[in-house]
Amino acid sequence: MVAEEEGKTQDTFLGHLTSFMDRFTGDKVILLIALFLMLISVISVFSSTPRLANDTGSDRVSIMVDQLKVVAVGFVLIFSLYYFGRVEWYKKLSMFGFAVSFGILVILVLNLNLGLVRAGEINGARRILIIAGKQVHVYEFVKLFMIMYLGWALDTFKNGEFKWAGILADKFDKLAFLQKPQWQKVVYIYAPVLLTTLMVMMGSNSSALFIGIIMVLMILVGGIDARDIGIVVGVGLLGIALMFGAYKAGILKESRIGTAIGRITQDDDATMKQLIGSKRESLEWRTARGKLDQPVGALLAIKEGGFWGKGIGNSTQKYQVPVIFGDYMFSFIVEETGMWGAAILIILYFSLLARGTMVAKECNRYYDKVIITGLIILVTGQAFMHMAVNVHLPLVPQTGQTLPLVSHGTNAFLVFAVVFGILLSISKDARENMARREAEAAPLIEHHNDWTQDATVEVEE
């Protein structure tokens, strides 16, 4: 009877799920976090998109079906990379991360039209490529490409394996300086970081800020001298100052520098006074309303959500905030589910940070450690920046960063699916080390047979 019941249990969905989890050799905690976030995404996108449905002439069911398709593709990407991905492949592909990033950013900055591929604009800024009629959000991919590239560069520098530097130094006497480690850091690490950040800044200041911070953190974690980082940051600030000077001189009038200045100097209180003191529907009223729709609407959503929330489907700010389903998804979730919904999200991302740190520590290869650390910083850093923007944290600029694996948006969602797939793929080796350590670890309390027998006798007596 027991055997029959066990067989029936194995035939159920729960039985298949349990069997799969037993056979899963990647990190189960990271997998479960990804699955929970994807589940939250489907529910949240369905509930938060009535305004999007109205603007696009669609309906929320169709939008949810589209999101389900994106989630399904993301699910396939995660498990494909987990099952078939190899660290050696990632390392070889990482070598070209900067070259690919530089190439697509050049198309954006120069506004090129190459036929099949051309630069495109969103809200007056060149941020996308149009490839065969499909929009590709460039900066989402640049984040991943540059983290993978820096993982390769840091590992290659640590092992002294920069081949092209040696080849050029041997052929040309004037390039002999490339043999020096300091110059190799400049050419292979610092220059790509600065160049990428400045090129991204031409289309999105917030993305440039975020990508730059992530790359600097990854370099610090990789063991590069902090003094060198200070020099890089100094050079970056000098570059920003030169761009600001060029903007004031009229050379970069079409860049996003003016937008950045406006966001830094924007006074919400003054804008609110302008809104209240202007005639309704006038140009001044609409301008002020446009500036306050998103930040104020997000704060209202959080305030109205309170502790318990309004309940699923009962949000009112989803009709007011233009992109609450993307850039302000956290505030929407708080409005509907309250503080406990916010707590669940924060716990999930903090758990990912803690678990990723543990997995990185257990990796044997330096490349694995750096890549896992960089990817974990990318996911959790973007999540907490998204939350900081939603709660209007002081000194945090109003950026357009989505909530990883939750917000509506095909490109960002699929990029983070790739991130989780790589994490799970690399975590397989770390899990073996963790299992071995657990097996070798001594128990906290030693149990002796004599002690057990004595206790048994005492109980019987």
Side-chain angles (χ1 to χ4, degrees):
M1 288 293 293
V2 174
E4 290 180 2
E5 290 179 0
E6 289 180 353
K8 291 179 180 179
T9 302
Q10 291 177 352
D11 289 336
T12 63
F13 172 77
L14 184 59
H16 288 299
L17 180 62
T18 304
S19 177
F20 167 77
M21 293 301 290
D22 289 339
R23 297 194 306 270
F24 188 81
T25 57
D27 191 86
K28 294 181 176 67
V29 175
I30 294 178
L31 172 64
L32 290 174
I33 290 172
L35 295 179
F36 272 122
L37 291 174
M38 293 164 83
L39 177 62
I40 293 171
S41 174
V42 174
I43 299 171
S44 300
V45 167
F46 174 72
S47 185
S48 65
T49 51
R51 178 164 177 167
L52 176 64
N54 183 65
D55 293 342
T56 58
S58 181
D59 58 85
R60 283 193 293 168
V61 174
S62 299
I63 293 173
M64 187 189 70
V65 170
D66 291 339
Q67 184 69 10
L68 282 171
K69 292 177 182 177
V70 173
V71 170
V73 174
F75 190 84
V76 171
L77 279 174
I78 289 174
F79 281 95
S80 296
L81 290 170
Y82 161 72
Y83 279 113
F84 305 111
R86 299 290 181 271
V87 176
E88 294 76 17
W89 301 351
Y90 302 142
K91 191 172 181 179
K92 289 180 180 178
L93 292 173
S94 298
M95 187 189 312
F96 306 102
F98 171 63
V100 175
S101 298
F102 181 79
I104 58 181
L105 287 173
V106 164
I107 297 175
L108 282 185
V109 172
L110 300 181
N111 197 21
L112 300 179
N113 186 346
L114 305 179
L116 186 65
V117 180
R118 62 182 177 86
E121 292 187 356
I122 291 183
N123 299 327
R126 291 195 294 270
R127 301 177 181 177
I128 61 172
L129 290 181
I130 309 297
I131 302 177
K134 300 292 184 181
Q135 293 186 1
V136 176
H137 291 258
V138 170
Y139 303 140
E140 300 296 340
F141 292 91
V142 169
K143 297 173 191 174
L144 175 60
F145 293 161
M146 286 305 298
I147 284 177
M148 300 300 289
Y149 169 79
L150 285 176
W152 169 83
L154 291 168
D155 180 71
T156 305
F157 173 76
K158 181 179 176 66
N159 297 321
E161 297 175 348
F162 284 127
K163 297 179 181 178
W164 283 105
I167 293 172
L168 292 173
D170 291 338
K171 287 188 176 182
F172 305 99
D173 294 337
K174 293 183 178 181
L175 297 179
F177 66 89
L178 292 177
Q179 292 279 35
K180 298 180 180 180
Q182 192 64 29
W183 277 103
Q184 290 183 357
K185 285 191 288 186
V186 170
V187 172
Y188 285 95
I189 300 175
Y190 302 148
V193 168
L194 287 171
L195 191 57
T196 301
T197 303
L198 293 175
M199 293 178 75
V200 171
M201 189 178 294
M202 302 299 291
S204 174
N205 301 292
S206 59
S207 294
L209 174 67
F210 179 71
I211 292 173
I213 291 174
I214 292 297
M215 291 191 292
V216 168
L217 287 175
M218 189 172 177
I219 293 172
L220 281 172
V221 171
I224 298 297
D225 196 330
R227 290 175 298 178
D228 291 348
I229 300 297
I231 295 173
V232 174
V233 173
V235 173
L237 292 175
L238 177 61
I240 293 172
L242 291 174
M243 293 175 68
F244 176 76
Y247 171 79
K248 285 296 186 181
I251 299 175
L252 297 175
K253 281 294 183 183
E254 296 183 0
S255 69
R256 299 286 291 177
I257 297 175
T259 304
I261 295 172
R263 287 181 175 176
I264 293 171
T265 58
Q266 180 176 329
D267 185 346
D268 287 344
D269 291 336
T271 306
M272 183 64 76
K273 289 179 181 178
Q274 178 184 337
L275 178 68
I276 296 172
S278 303
K279 184 179 179 181
R280 190 175 181 84
E281 300 300 334
S282 65
L283 179 60
E284 292 79 7
W285 187 89
R286 291 186 179 184
T287 302
R289 173 69 182 270
K291 290 180 179 179
L292 295 174
D293 264 351
Q294 293 182 342
V296 174
L299 289 176
L300 281 173
I302 293 172
K303 184 179 184 301
E304 291 178 1
F307 185 81
W308 297 109
K310 294 179 176 179
I312 303 298
N314 294 326
S315 165
T316 54
Q317 292 305 312
K318 64 186 176 183
Y319 300 103
Q320 302 296 327
V321 182
V323 287
I324 197 168
F325 49 83
D327 299 348
Y328 291 91
M329 179 59 89
F330 179 73
S331 64
F332 165 77
I333 291 174
V334 174
E335 184 183 8
E336 292 208 338
T337 61
M339 288 297 103
W340 65 270
I344 290 174
L345 283 174
I346 293 171
I347 289 171
L348 285 173
Y349 288 114
F350 261 120
S351 299
L352 178 64
L353 179 61
R355 193 65 180 182
T357 303
M358 185 182 299
V359 171
K361 183 179 178 181
E362 294 296 334
C363 290
N364 292 327
R365 290 167 292 204
Y366 177 77
Y367 173 81
D368 296 2
K369 293 177 182 289
V370 176
I371 287 296
I372 284 185
T373 302
L375 295 177
I376 290 295
I377 291 174
L378 171 62
V379 178
T380 57
Q382 181 160 324
F384 294 129
M385 178 171 278
H386 174 96
M387 295 177 190
V389 170
N390 278 227
V391 299
H392 217 303
L393 199 68
L395 301 180
V396 177
Q398 296 296 306
T399 67
Q401 304 298 331
T402 58
L403 192 59
L405 278 192
V406 177
S407 291
H408 181 270
T410 303
N411 289 265
F413 192 97
L414 295 182
V415 166
F416 282 112
V418 171
V419 168
F420 274 91
I422 295 173
L423 287 173
L424 291 173
S425 177
I426 297 178
S427 73
K428 286 187 285 189
D429 294 337
R431 282 288 300 166
E432 293 176 1
N433 293 336
M434 292 170 68
R436 185 167 58 253
R437 287 178 184 272
E438 291 172 359
E440 294 173 354
L444 294 176
I445 301 176
E446 294 287 347
H447 297 284
H448 299 287
N449 291 334
D450 294 342
W451 176 86
T452 306
Q453 291 174 359
D454 292 343
T456 302
V457 171
E458 290 178 4
V459 171
E460 290 177 352
E461 291 178 352

